[in-house]
Amino acid sequence: MIVTPAPWADRPVEVGLVGAGPWARAMHARMLAAGPETRLAAVWARRSEAARETAAPHGAHVAASFGELLDRCEAVAFAVPPAVQAELAPQAARQGKALLLEKPLGPDLMAAQRVADAVLGAGVVSQLVLTKRYHPVTEAFLDAARTREVSGARSCYLHGAFLGGDFATGWRLEHGALLDLGPHLLDLLDLAVSPITGIRSTGDPRRWIELTLEHENGAVSQASLSGSVSVPRALTRVELFGPETPLTYDTAEIDHEECWPILRRTFATAVRANEPTDLDAARGLYLQRLIDQAARATR
């Protein structure tokens, strides 16, 4: 069931959306236009027709350029490939715009570093769209995990989206599951077990990659990642083991519609308070360092 948020007392954050692909239409535009914490002020994409199709259902302005988009908003949401985000997000930050960023921050560590540096240098609010982190089930799992002594963990994030369809896009097919799915699972394991201190990996991220993670508390965890396997629905599962009964997190039954109001409220609250959240660009850079370490370990 979708939880109705408390009344929003402040004016909505005017957000410009960069991108007009399937994810921009299905999530970003719809979420930002729903308010009351945000208003979809404008949409810009390199394909103008796609931008019009994304903006029209919500009555948003179609910007003719990225510069025009920046003139019409106080925050920018990105729903574009990592390389495009890494190119444009620093420009928006330098213009004083708050940033709602997709993961990964960039296609590689150097690009991610530039995004994080721009955010830090400009002193703007940033927030990552790590979808599952905004679901109450995830929050409850992480709260429970903090009370546990964890000796080891095993986890997976598996789906078949790379086999065909809207999300079998160029950057995902090139880089595979590590860059696309890795941030989600690494973030959860890093928080649920303890900070990750070492990574070993085997396999091919375009088919199946297996990670062995060493943690600060001495625990070891396993992570299986693939976007190229035929499964009835996406599988995201984390199991924690130790002296107590295992603690399991499984997203099979969660309704992702419950994430969007929480994500929107968290972002708008951070923008209005001008205070960073724990899911900011710095967290994105931390996760990208882990991804880079894992990628290097497979070579």
Side-chain angles (χ1 to χ4, degrees), residues 112-175:
Q113 184 75 60
R114 287 194 292 271
V115 175
D117 287 348
V119 168
L120 181 62
V124 296
V125 166
S126 62
Q127 184 172 311
L128 290 175
V129 180
L130 278 175
T131 306
K132 295 170 181 59
R133 281 287 299 277
Y134 300 98
H135 199 284
V137 168
T138 308
E139 183 179 4
F141 165 72
L142 292 175
D143 285 344
R146 293 185 187 101
T147 69
R148 296 291 189 101
E149 178 185 343
V150 180
S151 303
R154 60 187 183 189
S155 65
C156 69
Y157 193 171
L158 310 171
H159 64 54
F162 300 172
L163 297 175
D166 288 341
F167 295 99
T169 52
W171 73 270
R172 290 185 175 91
L173 297 180
E174 178 184 357
H175 296 284

Side-chain angles (χ1 to χ4, degrees), residues 27-39:
M27 195 285 279
H28 281 272
R30 185 165 61 92
M31 176 192 70
L32 295 168
E37 303 91 346
T38 58
R39 187 179 82 86

Side-chain angles (χ1 to χ4, degrees), residues 175-218:
H175 296 284
L178 183 59
L179 198 63
D180 186 31
L181 308 183
H184 293 284
L185 211 51
L186 291 170
D187 175 66
L188 289 172
L189 290 168
D190 185 79
L191 293 172
V193 181
S194 78
I196 296 167
T197 58
I199 301 180
R200 300 188 300 275
S201 62
T202 187
D204 181 348
R206 291 175 295 275
R207 298 180 63 203
W208 184 292
I209 186 166
E210 198 78 22
L211 308 179
T212 300
L213 313 174
E214 298 170 355
H215 295 263
E216 192 175 80
N217 64 354

Side-chain angles (χ1 to χ4, degrees), residues 19-275:
W23 187 235
R25 296 193 302 271
M27 195 285 279
H28 281 272
R30 185 165 61 92
M31 176 192 70
L32 295 168
E37 303 91 346
T38 58
R39 187 179 82 86
L40 183 62
V43 177
W44 176 76
R46 288 171 174 170
R47 295 182 297 115
S48 57
E49 182 59 35
R52 284 192 290 273
E53 291 175 0
T54 302
H58 311 291
H61 176 76
V62 179
S65 66
F66 182 56
E68 183 186 345
L69 180 94
L70 295 180
D71 289 340
R72 287 180 168 268
C73 66
E74 57 185 308
V76 182
F78 291 89
V80 290
V84 180
Q85 176 171 274
E87 173 193 349
L88 298 177
Q91 298 178 41
R94 288 191 288 269
Q95 291 292 318
K97 309 302 179 182
L99 306 179
L100 188 61
L101 299 161
E102 275 294 340
K103 53 75 210 162
L105 285 189
D108 53 47
L109 184 55
M110 288 183 62
Q113 184 75 60
R114 287 194 292 271
V115 175
D117 287 348
V119 168
L120 181 62
V124 296
V125 166
S126 62
Q127 184 172 311
L128 290 175
V129 180
L130 278 175
T131 306
K132 295 170 181 59
R133 281 287 299 277
Y134 300 98
H135 199 284
V137 168
T138 308
E139 183 179 4
F141 165 72
L142 292 175
D143 285 344
R146 293 185 187 101
T147 69
R148 296 291 189 101
E149 178 185 343
V150 180
S151 303
R154 60 187 183 189
S155 65
C156 69
Y157 193 171
L158 310 171
H159 64 54
F162 300 172
L163 297 175
D166 288 341
F167 295 99
T169 52
W171 73 270
R172 290 185 175 91
L173 297 180
E174 178 184 357
H175 296 284
L178 183 59
L179 198 63
D180 186 31
L181 308 183
H184 293 284
L185 211 51
L186 291 170
D187 175 66
L188 289 172
L189 290 168
D190 185 79
L191 293 172
V193 181
S194 78
I196 296 167
T197 58
I199 301 180
R200 300 188 300 275
S201 62
T202 187
D204 181 348
R206 291 175 295 275
R207 298 180 63 203
W208 184 292
I209 186 166
E210 198 78 22
L211 308 179
T212 300
L213 313 174
E214 298 170 355
H215 295 263
E216 192 175 80
N217 64 354
V220 175
S221 64
Q222 296 289 139
S224 304
L225 297 164
S226 180
S228 303
V229 291
S230 181
V231 289
R233 56 187 171 186
L235 301 174
T236 309
R237 185 177 175 89
V238 179
E239 298 172 286
L240 306 182
F241 298 91
E244 303 173 67
T245 302
L247 179 65
T248 300
Y249 168 77
D250 194 326
T251 66
E253 302 300 326
I254 73 170
D255 181 359
H256 283 79
E257 289 296 317
E258 294 185 56
C259 301
W260 315 141
I262 298 171
L263 192 163
R264 184 177 60 237
R265 175 62 63 99
T266 303
F267 182 60
T269 299
V271 172
R272 286 286 168 257
N274 195 31
E275 294 180 354

